[in-house]
Amino acid sequence: NAGVTQTPKFQVLKTGQSMTLQCAQDMNHNSMYWYRQDPGMGLRLIYYSASEGTTDKGEVPNGYNVSRLNKREFSLRLESAAPSQTSVYFCASSVQGYSNQPQHFGDGTRLSIL
Amino acid sequence: SQQGEEDPQALSIQEGENATMNCSYKTSINNLQWYRQNSGRGLVHLILIRSNEREKHSGRLRVTLDTSKKSSSLLITASRAADTASYFCATVNSGGYQKVTFGTGTKLQVIP
């Protein structure tokens, strides 16, 4: 039972390059989330998808786009990477949006932008 | 913006001792959740306490919630080296659009 799987685990980009972070969950969850974690900042929500076919901005959406490809998969795209986007990115899922449902996290993608 | 703020930021104890971490928040909540994060890994959900609950237990974990003081505490009893991790509180606000906001975490080191 894999839970939430993120790929890649590590990535180094040059400023201006683009890339897509992949996330898939096998728990039949409706809601999925993308966070970034920076030292001393805790986790900040970038985008979320309450259900298949919907996406909404979180706290720090600028510079990112997302696609809810199907119920299992939720990808995060950096169109033109900037050094300020160096961070650890976590994908999470829950049975349904927020409320009383715990979130299940992947192990993160460590992204460095030079 | 950070809703939950954990205190202390770092805590070092001997194996077998109890560890207490605190979380303060600013707005009314629907529930408060605690998560653990081992180094290099994702967050793992530990326990959820609803706004109408005052205390909850799960194994060696005890969580209290005081909505009048807008604070929560996580107690880990008889700590083990394997409890070494960062612990985060997360609040889900009440009313209207519900969102979960994570604090900055307490880094716990349990010395064998």
Side-chain angles (χ1 to χ4, degrees):
Chain A
N1 190 357
V4 178
T5 303
Q6 292 184 236
T7 55
K9 295 189 186 305
F10 302 92
Q11 185 71 47
V12 178
L13 292 177
K14 294 181 179 179
T15 298
Q17 286 185 317
S18 62
M19 82 161 294
T20 299
L21 280 62
Q22 306 288 348
C23 174
Q25 52 91 9
D26 62 2
M27 296 173 283
N28 201 35
H29 286 172
N30 289 305
S31 301
M32 298 184 74
Y33 316 84
W34 275 105
Y35 293 90
R36 60 178 290 173
Q37 184 177 35
D38 301 294
M41 298 289 289
L43 272 75
R44 292 183 292 169
L45 182 66
I46 305 171
Y47 270 94
Y48 71 100
S49 172
S51 61
E52 186 179 356
T54 68
T55 60
D56 286 286
K57 295 178 180 179
E59 185 184 351
V60 287
N62 291 345
Y64 305 95
N65 284 301
V66 290
S67 294
R68 183 74 184 265
L69 304 171
N70 48 54
K71 191 171 185 179
R72 291 186 63 248
E73 298 172 288
F74 188 38
S75 63
L76 178 72
R77 183 162 177 82
L78 286 70
E79 291 291 351
S80 179
S84 61
Q85 294 178 304
T86 292
S87 187
V88 182
Y89 291 85
F90 288 99
C91 177
S93 69
S94 64
V95 173
Q96 57 190 44
Y98 296 131
S99 189
N100 291 333
Q101 303 297 325
Q103 296 186 21
H104 300 258
F105 285 80
D107 281 338
T109 294
R110 283 140 188 86
L111 182 61
S112 293
I113 298 162
L114 307 176
Chain B
S1 62
Q2 301 298 320
Q3 160 78 310
E5 293 186 6
E6 287 91 339
D7 169 58
Q9 290 186 325
L11 179 62
S12 184
I13 59 174
Q14 296 290 327
E15 201 167 30
E17 294 180 337
N18 295 341
T20 300
M21 288 157 270
N22 303 297
C23 171
S24 60
Y25 57 91
K26 297 174 184 174
T27 61
S28 296
I29 61 170
N30 176 289
N31 68 79
L32 186 145
Q33 303 173 30
W34 284 92
Y35 288 80
R36 183 188 75 232
Q37 183 180 33
N38 291 92
S39 180
R41 304 297 300 273
L43 278 70
V44 175
H45 182 261
L46 295 176
I47 197 165
L48 181 154
I49 186 165
R50 292 177 171 77
S51 60
N52 61 353
E53 297 176 312
R54 292 296 167 258
E55 187 170 313
K56 205 162 182 180
H57 296 255
S58 177
R60 293 184 296 110
L61 305 180
R62 172 178 170 250
V63 170
T64 61
L65 179 64
D66 187 336
T67 53
S68 67
K69 295 182 179 178
K70 291 187 168 58
S71 67
S72 173
S73 67
L74 170 67
L75 168 67
I76 303 174
T77 59
S79 63
R80 305 166 181 168
D83 294 328
T84 294
S86 292
Y87 292 82
F88 294 86
C89 69
T91 54
V92 178
N93 64 286
S94 61
Y97 167 62
Q98 292 183 334
K99 66 173 186 176
V100 61
T101 306
F102 288 85
T104 53
T106 292
K107 196 166 187 177
L108 172 66
Q109 181 185 27
V110 181
I111 303 167

